[in-house]
Amino acid sequence: MSVTYLEYSDPNGAEHKFYEVTVDGADLTVRYGRIGTDGQTQRKTFPSPEKAQAEADKKLKEKRRKGYEDAVQGVRQKREVVRRTFTETRPTTRRGAPLLWKFSTKATAFGIFADDDQVWVGNEAGQVHALSPDGEVQRSFTLPDGVKCLVRDDRWTFAGCDDGNVYDLSGKLPFVAYEVEGSSALLWLDIHAGTLAASDWNGNVFAFDAESDQQWANVATGGKMGWMVRVDDGGVYYGHSTGVGMYDRTSGLPLWQAKTRGGVLFGWQDGQDLYAGTTQNLIQRFTKAGEHAQDYACDAAVLSCATSPGGEYVFAGDSGSAVYCFTRTGERLWKLGSGVGGALSMQYAGGRLYLVTSSGILAALDASPEAIQAAQRGEAPAPRDVKLAAAAQASAPLTQLAVTADSGQGVRLVCERDGTRLRVRPTTPGYHAWNVQFPRNLRQAGATYLVDDLVDAGGFYRVVGDIRRVG
C-alpha cells in the first residue's frame, strides 16, 4: 500500500487544504479537504493494481501542477476559530421594549436574516432555525460549527460557518456552496448577485464568483477584526478596527478608505449609505463615496445596527442590552431595554425589529409608533415564549450523493475540467454552457448528475431540488 499526502496554502490565505491518495492493490482512495478536518473521501476499484496506480499518478500530477506540495500531516495546524468577545455593561434603562415573541436557541447567536416571509437565526453551536414572522419554527439545520451570519441572495439563503464553509440552506439538505479558506478566522459574510465577500480576523477581504472560485483577495489596510463586509452592484465595503473602505467588486482595487471613531463592530447598508457601529458608542453614516454624513450617539458600544427602508429610521443595539431608534438626521427618538441581552445582530422587516442576542435569543420587537409609545409609558406586553417542537428534525449537510439510474427526469449536468478548474455545466438543451453553482465538495471529473431544475440567478444558474449522481 502506498500513501501520498500533499498540502496547499495560497499566499493570500484564501485556501488552506490537503489532498491524500492511497493505493491498495486495485483500490484507489482519495481524501481531500480543509487542513485540520477529516475532509471528504472517495473510493474506486480498478481492473488491476497498475490501472489504480496510473490514475493515482495522474491525480497527483494535476495537484502538483496547481501548487500542491508533499507534506507531513499534522505539521500545519487547523485555522483557529475566533469567538467574538465583548463586555456587557449594566443596563441603563428600565423601560422594556415591546417584544412580541422570543425564541431561545440556547447558545450565543450572531446570524440573522429577516424578510416579510421568514426570520432565520444561527448560533455558535451551529444550529440554524427558520421561523415565520409570528414565531412558528418551520425548518431547522445542524451545521458542523458555529454560524456567524446568515445572508440572502434573491430566494437563496446561505449560512457562514466557523469551519470556513458557506452552506446553501435553500433545499432539503444544506450543501457547501462556497469555501472561504484562510489562516485567520472568518468573521463576516455578505452576498449579492452571486458575488460572495468575506472578511476575517486580520481584516483581510476575499471575493468569490458564482461558481465559488476566488476572484481576488486584499490584505488589510492597517486594521484587524473585520466585523463588517457588505456588497452591492458597485463594490465591496468593509469595516475593521480603524475604519471603513471600499473595493471594486470585480477587480478588488481599493477605491477609498475613511477612519471611524473607534473600531467597527457591525456594518449595515441601505441605498447609497453605509452605517458603521463602533466601540466609541456611535453609529457613523458614510456615503458610498466615502464621505462622512452623520453620527448617531448611543450610551455604550454599538454591537449592531439596522435601518428601515430608505434610512428613515436608524436602529442600534448596545453592550448595555439597550435598543435605540433615531431619525435619519440623528435625533434620538427612544431607548428601551431589550430584556433578552445585547443585540449582536439585527434586521428590520415589516414594521418589526428582529434581534439575536448574547443570550442566544431571537426576538421580534414591535417597532410601530403605537407600540413604542406604549412601551415608553411602561406598558410593554409580556413576550410570547416560542418553543422548538420536540418532533422537529434538524437536517445535516449533504456530504455524499445518492447514485441513481438515469431516468431522464430533470436537468442533466456533467462535471468537466476547464484548465485548472473543475466546473459543472448542463447538457440538457436550452441552458448555457457554464456558470452553475454546484457543491464544490461533490464535484468529480467525469461525473454526471441530475437535478430537479436550474434557475437563472442573473448570469449563472442555481440548483433547485435534490442532486443525484447518475450511475
Side-chain angles (χ1 to χ4, degrees):
M1 183 175 70
S2 66
V3 179
T4 305
Y5 179 82
L6 310 177
E7 288 184 346
Y8 174 79
S9 284
D10 132 3
N12 291 319
E15 293 183 291
H16 193 56
K17 51 195 179 182
F18 72 89
Y19 192 83
E20 181 184 74
V21 175
T22 301
V23 179
D24 186 2
D27 295 329
L28 173 65
T29 302
V30 176
R31 189 171 66 92
Y32 60 94
R34 181 168 290 104
I35 291 173
T37 69
D38 292 335
Q40 306 292 322
T41 300
Q42 296 176 346
R43 296 182 177 88
K44 187 174 182 179
T45 299
F46 288 82
S48 68
E50 291 76 18
K51 289 187 179 294
Q53 187 62 55
E55 181 65 16
D57 293 341
K58 178 183 175 182
K59 289 180 177 294
L60 291 169
K61 183 179 180 180
E62 290 175 350
K63 290 298 179 182
R64 289 190 171 103
R65 188 172 66 245
K66 294 175 67 175
Y68 281 76
E69 298 177 342
D70 291 86
V72 176
Q73 186 174 356
V75 174
R76 185 178 284 123
Q77 298 299 308
K78 179 181 179 181
R79 175 191 56 209
E80 180 184 4
V81 172
V82 172
R83 302 297 185 190
R84 183 175 182 179
T85 59
F86 60 92
T87 301
E88 284 199 83
T89 55
R90 188 174 63 181
T92 55
T93 180
R94 294 183 179 181
R95 293 179 178 177
L99 300 185
L100 298 170
W101 54 263
K102 60 181 181 178
F103 169 66
S104 177
T105 72
K106 305 186 185 305
T108 298
F110 286 98
I112 188 171
F113 176 82
D115 60 18
D116 292 339
D117 299 318
Q118 279 188 322
V119 187
W120 294 73
V121 58
N123 67 17
E124 293 278 61
Q127 297 163 339
V128 180
H129 305 282
L131 293 83
S132 73
D134 291 329
E136 178 186 357
V137 180
Q138 297 175 332
R139 305 177 68 192
S140 296
F141 302 93
T142 299
L143 300 182
D145 214 330
V147 174
K148 284 288 193 294
C149 60
L150 290 155
V151 294
R152 174 69 69 89
D153 194 19
D154 194 13
R155 60 190 179 95
W156 283 266
T157 302
F158 300 89
C161 199
D162 279 339
D163 67 359
N165 289 328
V166 180
Y167 293 87
D168 186 330
L169 306 183
S170 308
K172 295 178 182 178
L173 296 176
F175 63 77
V176 178
Y178 300 86
E179 297 177 34
V180 186
E181 282 285 4
S183 57
S184 180
L186 171 68
L187 296 186
W188 212 251
L189 298 172
D190 198 21
I191 189 169
H192 176 76
T195 296
L196 177 89
S199 53
D200 69 14
W201 179 255
N202 285 327
N204 303 318
V205 179
F206 311 98
F208 297 79
D209 65 18
E211 291 185 71
S212 310
D213 290 309
Q214 182 182 309
Q215 289 181 286
W216 50 263
N218 278 321
V219 177
T221 52
K224 290 184 177 294
M225 297 177 290
W227 283 111
M228 170 185 172
V229 67
R230 296 289 177 182
V231 189
D232 66 9
D233 288 335
V236 175
Y237 309 91
Y238 66 87
H240 51 44
S241 59
T242 64
V244 294
M246 176 184 181
Y247 296 117
D248 180 81
R249 177 177 163 183
T250 303
S251 67
L253 291 174
L255 300 179
W256 59 263
Q257 57 183 321
K259 289 187 176 297
T260 52
R261 288 173 57 188
V264 177
L265 296 178
F266 196 84
W268 183 263
Q269 67 167 326
D270 182 87
Q272 295 304 306
D273 291 309
L274 299 172
Y275 298 81
T278 78
T279 57
Q280 293 300 308
N281 307 355
L282 292 172
I283 300 173
Q284 295 197 279
R285 174 162 59 91
F286 293 82
T287 70
K288 288 187 175 178
E291 299 173 353
H292 177 234
Q294 184 68 54
D295 286 342
Y296 306 84
C298 299
D299 300 325
V302 178
L303 303 179
S304 61
C305 56
T307 71
S308 61
E312 180 182 7
Y313 298 107
V314 178
F315 302 96
D318 75 9
S319 60
S321 299
V323 183
Y324 302 76
C325 178
F326 301 88
T327 65
R328 179 174 175 80
T329 57
E331 177 189 358
R332 184 192 289 188
L333 296 179
W334 49 261
K335 173 187 176 183
L336 298 168
S338 76
V340 290
L344 301 180
S345 300
M346 59 171 58
Q347 282 206 346
Y348 179 92
R352 296 178 180 182
L353 187 65
Y354 296 96
L355 317 173
V356 289
T357 73
S358 53
S359 59
I361 290 176
L362 167 66
L365 187 159
D366 187 346
S368 67
E370 297 79 14
I372 296 300
Q373 290 167 9
Q376 290 174 319
R377 296 192 300 267
E379 300 172 3
R384 178 167 54 90
D385 199 358
V386 175
K387 301 294 185 182
L388 181 64
Q393 296 293 319
S395 301
L398 179 67
T399 59
Q400 187 172 328
L401 289 176
V403 178
T404 184
D406 188 355
S407 63
Q409 300 295 317
V411 180
R412 188 183 181 95
L413 309 174
V414 64
C415 185
E416 297 178 346
R417 192 165 299 282
D418 180 28
T420 60
R421 302 172 66 185
L422 202 57
R423 306 178 71 185
V424 173
R425 66 179 180 88
T427 57
T428 299
Y431 295 91
H432 305 309
W434 295 111
N435 301 327
V436 176
Q437 188 174 77
F438 194 87
R440 291 179 65 85
N441 62 323
L442 301 178
R443 299 180 194 182
Q444 186 172 355
T448 300
Y449 311 94
L450 281 176
V451 299
D452 293 344
D453 198 4
L454 293 178
V455 171
D456 192 336
F460 66 98
Y461 290 107
R462 284 199 170 116
V463 172
V464 175
D466 295 332
I467 304 172
R468 291 93 63 197
R469 182 168 176 179
V470 177

